[in-house]
């Protein structure tokens, strides 16, 4: 009664054929053929038309039996409309997801192609700046001018290194970014970092110190460009969020054996700081502790 929309009295004594239960004549014909051939029907999905004319999805199972030598059908009907709608919705979600993945893949390919093409446009003038600055350093400059030229040279090299790192984005996404192993002088690297930060620190009338514990080895083997990148990023951020006071870069020895040393680097500032319960945001892309900091201090919150 509930499935077909008829009262009990309307249904008693009438067959499914009389009710015109099958909305599609082809479904009706196939059901008859299958019952005739095997005497039964199992979970056959059809569209049915209710008394009101509404179409519903149903699953029918039927068994042919004999009563007083006359054939009859015992039929079980289940309304599966809600399930079919859920299946269709899930199919649509999967199709939309597949489309989104395809679009994201296409966008990623376009981005990678753009970065590859952009690399030549950016690196060519940067190499020119580095070359000309190198020639300037070798010319007749006084000590102060030569120091300024060296800072410009180091800044240009750092910028070129950052551009190359951006172009390595595809490697980072594929988790195939490899660290270099080069011999370097730690004090030289830290001096370069201090020189890079010195201009902004001077403009904001801040103080700066760089302290290396006496037991820290000076000559190391590792990736100085990555170390420089990290400390410059942290140092620049410290300068940005410090209105007055001091920026400190410190290096200390945690442990050492015959082949390896573990060093701890710290960038300490007297700026606004980050509340302990908000520090996790540092590790989310484009997240900031407080949206107002963007308006006051600038930046996109790279995390």
């Amino acid at each position: 009664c509930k499935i077909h929309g008829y009262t009990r009295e309307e249904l008693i004594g009438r067959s499914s054929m009389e009710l015109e239960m099958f909305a599609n004549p082809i479904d009706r014909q196939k059901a008859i053929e299958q019952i005739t051939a095997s005497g039964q029907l199992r979970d056959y999905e059809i569209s049915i038309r209710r008394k009101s004319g509404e179409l519903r999805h149903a699953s029918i199972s039927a068994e042919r039996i004999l009563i007083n030598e006359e054939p009859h059908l015992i039929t079980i009907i289940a309304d599966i409309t809600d399930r079919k709608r859920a299946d269709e919705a899930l199919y649509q979600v999967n199709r939309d997801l597949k489309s989104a993945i395809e679009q994201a893949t296409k966008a990623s390919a376009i981005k990678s192609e753009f970065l590859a093409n952009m690399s030549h446009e950016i690196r060519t003038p940067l190499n020119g700046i580095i070359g000309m600055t190198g020639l300037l350093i070798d010319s007749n400059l006084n000590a102060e001018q030569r120091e300024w030229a060296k800072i410009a040279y180091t800044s240009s090299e750092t910028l070129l290194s950052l551009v190359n790192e951006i172009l390595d984005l595809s490697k980072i996404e594929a988790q195939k970014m490899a660290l270099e192993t080069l011999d370097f002088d730690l004090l030289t690297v830290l001096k370069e970092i201090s020189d890079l930060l010195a201009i902004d620190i001077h403009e904001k009338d801040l103080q700066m110190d760089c302290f290396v514990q006496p037991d820290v080895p000076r000559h190391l083997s590792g990736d100085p460009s990555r170390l420089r990148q990290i400390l410059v990023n942290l140092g620049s951020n410290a300068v940005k969020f410090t209105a007055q006071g001091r920026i400190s870069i410190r290096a200390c020895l945690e442990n050492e054996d015959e082949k390896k040393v573990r060093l701890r680097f710290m960038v300490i500032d007297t700026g606004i700081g980050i509340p302990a319960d908000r520090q996790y945001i540092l590790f989310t892309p484009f997240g900031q502790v407080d949206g107002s900091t963007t308006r006051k201090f600038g930046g996109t919150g790279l995390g």
Side-chain angles (χ1 to χ4, degrees), residues 17 22 25-42 44 60 62 64 73:
M17 304 304 176
F22 290 88
I26 296 177
D27 288 340
R28 177 177 180 273
Q29 183 61 34
K30 287 183 178 180
I32 292 174
E33 290 174 356
Q34 190 168 335
I35 292 172
T36 302
S38 63
Q40 63 181 9
L41 198 64
R42 289 288 179 268
Y44 184 62
I60 65 172
R64 186 172 57 186
L73 281 178

Side-chain angles (χ1 to χ4, degrees), residues 46-288:
I46 63 170
S47 293
I48 63 172
R49 181 179 287 105
R50 305 178 80 237
K51 179 182 178 180
S52 63
E54 177 191 3
L55 294 178
R56 304 283 291 181
H57 294 286
S59 172
I60 65 172
S61 295
E63 186 82 23
R64 186 172 57 186
I65 63 171
L66 294 175
I67 300 178
N68 297 327
E69 302 300 325
E70 293 186 8
H72 290 74
L73 281 178
I74 295 179
T75 306
I76 299 174
I77 304 175
D79 190 325
I80 59 171
T81 304
D82 292 340
R83 192 194 76 191
K84 293 288 288 186
R85 288 174 179 171
D87 290 344
E88 290 170 1
L90 182 59
Y91 172 77
Q92 183 63 42
V93 169
N94 288 335
R95 189 170 64 176
D96 292 344
L97 181 59
K98 181 180 179 181
S99 176
I101 291 173
E102 290 175 351
Q103 291 178 14
T105 302
K106 183 178 179 181
S108 179
I110 292 173
K111 176 195 67 179
S112 298
E113 183 179 354
F114 168 74
L115 289 175
N117 293 332
M118 184 184 70
S119 65
H120 301 288
E121 302 296 330
I122 294 179
R123 286 189 291 190
T124 298
L126 269 177
N127 283 322
I129 294 171
I130 292 172
M132 291 299 102
T133 308
L135 293 175
L136 182 63
I137 292 173
D138 295 334
S139 64
N140 295 323
L141 302 175
N142 60 41
E144 187 177 33
Q145 290 172 331
R146 180 166 282 101
E147 185 65 21
W148 292 346
K150 286 181 179 180
I151 293 174
Y153 183 86
T154 304
S155 299
S156 300
E157 282 196 317
T158 301
L159 181 56
L160 181 60
S161 176
L162 289 173
V163 170
N164 289 331
E165 288 159 9
I166 292 173
L167 298 173
D168 285 337
L169 182 60
S170 58
K171 293 183 181 179
I172 296 174
E173 290 174 340
Q175 297 184 357
K176 293 182 179 179
M177 173 57 67
L179 296 177
E180 292 185 311
T181 302
L182 305 172
D183 294 336
F184 68 96
D185 185 329
L186 178 61
L187 296 186
T188 300
V189 172
L190 292 177
K191 183 179 184 304
E192 291 172 351
I193 294 168
S194 300
D195 290 342
L196 287 170
L197 297 175
I199 298 175
D200 291 337
I201 287 176
H202 177 72
E203 288 180 352
K204 295 190 71 172
D205 197 25
L206 301 173
Q207 294 180 323
M208 179 180 181
D209 63 72
C210 186
F211 175 75
V212 181
Q213 284 186 343
D215 57 352
V216 172
R218 175 173 177 174
H219 299 287
L220 302 169
S221 182
D223 195 331
S225 64
R226 301 299 179 194
L227 176 62
R228 185 186 298 110
Q229 177 193 9
I230 293 169
L231 292 179
V232 167
N233 285 343
L234 292 175
S236 298
N237 216 50
V239 174
K240 181 189 296 184
F241 290 95
T242 301
Q244 58 183 3
R246 177 180 295 274
I247 310 295
S248 298
I249 298 178
R250 300 180 186 179
C252 61
L253 178 66
E254 287 206 337
N255 56 64
E256 180 180 11
D257 58 30
E258 293 180 355
K259 294 184 178 181
K260 294 183 179 181
V261 293
R262 181 186 293 274
L263 304 180
R264 177 181 293 273
F265 294 91
M266 292 173 281
V267 178
I268 304 170
D269 63 71
T270 57
I272 60 176
I274 303 174
D277 63 345
R278 304 288 287 170
Q279 289 176 4
Y280 72 95
I281 297 178
L282 283 175
F283 301 99
T284 58
F286 302 101
Q288 291 189 324

